[in-house]
Amino acid sequence: MLEKVKANDVREDINFLSRYNHSMGFGEYKDDDLASYIMVNEFKSRIFAKKVKMGGVGYVASYAENRGLMKDIILELHGQIMQFRT
């Protein structure tokens, strides 16, 4: 049985909006409709004594036939010299 998880519209959720406003959004359109979307939040992290930029993936929405977007995102983040984590 399906259960309603959230009573409020996500577009009015202050936590979601904060993440959305401080993230990179990647999407793919098919016939003018959004078919896949992935939000990447930027973080600063420390690995041993070195500070590095990291990208955390969240809010993934994709139809099964549109799951090739992730490869493009990894290449984009690598081009920005950013570490990547899921």
Side-chain angles (χ1 to χ4, degrees):
M1 180 167 89
L2 293 176
E3 183 178 328
K4 190 172 183 179
V5 178
K6 281 196 105 154
N8 299 327
D9 188 330
V10 71
R11 294 170 294 182
E12 297 174 9
D13 183 319
I14 194 165
N15 292 318
F16 172 80
L17 291 175
S18 176
R19 289 183 185 102
Y20 179 80
N21 289 329
H22 296 93
S23 68
M24 293 180 281
F26 295 88
E28 183 174 58
Y29 287 86
K30 297 286 182 174
D31 300 322
D32 294 328
D33 293 321
L34 185 61
S36 183
Y37 180 81
I38 298 175
M39 181 187 297
V40 178
N41 293 94
E42 294 182 53
F43 298 95
K44 293 178 183 172
S45 188
R46 184 183 300 269
I47 298 178
F48 300 108
K50 186 176 181 179
K51 292 181 182 177
V52 295
K53 290 181 4 182
M54 296 185 95
V57 173
Y59 298 100
V60 177
S62 181
Y63 290 111
E65 59 270 17
N66 297 100
R67 294 196 177 151
L69 185 60
M70 200 66 206
K71 179 180 177 184
D72 295 333
I73 292 172
I74 291 171
L75 292 172
E76 173 71 22
L77 296 178
H78 180 71
Q80 294 182 28
I81 312 171
M82 182 182 291
Q83 304 301 313
F84 184 79
R85 68 182 174 93
T86 57

